[in-house]
Amino acid sequence: MLLNTLLIIHILAAITAFGGNISHMVWTRIALNNPPVRDYTLRTISQLERRYVNPSYIVAGITGLALVDRSGRSFTDPWVLLSIVIFLGITAVGGAVYAPLLRRQIALAEEGDPDSEEYRKLDRRGNIIGPFVVALVVFLIYMMVFQPPLWG
C-alpha cells in the first residue's frame, strides 16, 4: 500500500512539474509578443515556479528516493543512478541558470524597455535552456518507465 501511495504521489508531482516546464515555453512567447503585459506574464511564470513547479520537483525527488528504498531496488542500479544524476542536473540548471535569467527578464520588463537587446538576448538563451530541460525530463521519464539495464 505504501509503495503504491508513493508511486501515485511521485507520478502526480512529476506531471505537475513537467507540465509547468512545458507551459513556460508558451508563456514566454506570450510575454515576448505582448510587451505591455510582459512584466505581468513573467511574474506569473515566476509564481508558478515558486508555488507549483519547484515544490513538485522536490516532492518527485523525495518520493523517487523513497520508492527506490522501499521497493528493494539498489541506488547503484544503473538506471537509478543515472536518473538521480539527471534529476540533480535538471535542478542545477533550474536554480543556477534559469531562475537568474527569469529574474533578470522580469527586472528588464519592469524597467520600461521591454524590447531591449539584453531582454531579447535573455529570451534567446531561455529558448535554448527550456527545450534542453524538457529533453532531460523526457529522458528521465523514459528511465523511470522502462528502467533500462544500461551497463553492468
Side-chain angles (χ1 to χ4, degrees):
M1 180 69 178
L2 175 62
L3 203 59
N4 287 338
T5 302
L6 285 171
L7 184 60
I8 289 168
I9 293 168
H10 182 72
I11 291 169
L12 291 174
I15 289 168
T16 302
F18 186 59
N21 285 151
I22 290 290
S23 76
H24 293 167
M25 289 187 268
V26 174
W27 283 102
T28 55
R29 291 295 50 91
I30 291 169
L32 183 66
N33 295 325
N34 295 287
V37 296
R38 185 172 294 159
D39 60 334
Y40 173 80
T41 305
L42 294 172
R43 283 194 316 269
T44 301
I45 293 170
S46 181
Q47 284 182 341
L48 287 170
E49 282 285 321
R50 286 191 319 273
R51 294 181 183 173
Y52 302 103
V53 175
N54 294 342
S56 294
Y57 271 117
I58 291 168
V59 169
I62 291 169
T63 55
L65 293 173
L67 281 165
V68 172
D69 182 59
R70 296 293 178 181
S71 70
R73 295 194 184 279
S74 172
F75 285 98
T76 59
D77 284 352
W79 73 269
V80 172
L81 193 58
L82 185 57
S83 296
I84 292 169
V85 169
I86 292 169
F87 180 84
L88 293 174
I90 291 166
T91 58
V93 169
V97 180
Y98 183 74
L101 183 143
L102 181 58
R103 281 192 299 273
R104 183 64 186 142
Q105 283 181 297
I106 292 169
L108 288 170
E110 290 175 342
E111 288 173 5
D113 185 11
D115 285 322
S116 69
E117 182 55 37
E118 184 180 2
Y119 182 87
R120 297 258 178 208
K121 180 180 172 185
L122 292 171
D123 184 68
R124 286 189 297 272
R125 190 175 301 154
N127 287 334
I128 294 168
I129 295 167
F132 175 71
V133 168
V134 166
L136 285 175
V137 173
V138 168
F139 184 67
L140 185 60
I141 292 168
Y142 166 82
M143 298 294 288
M144 299 291 109
V145 172
F146 296 104
Q147 303 171 5
L150 299 177
W151 64 85

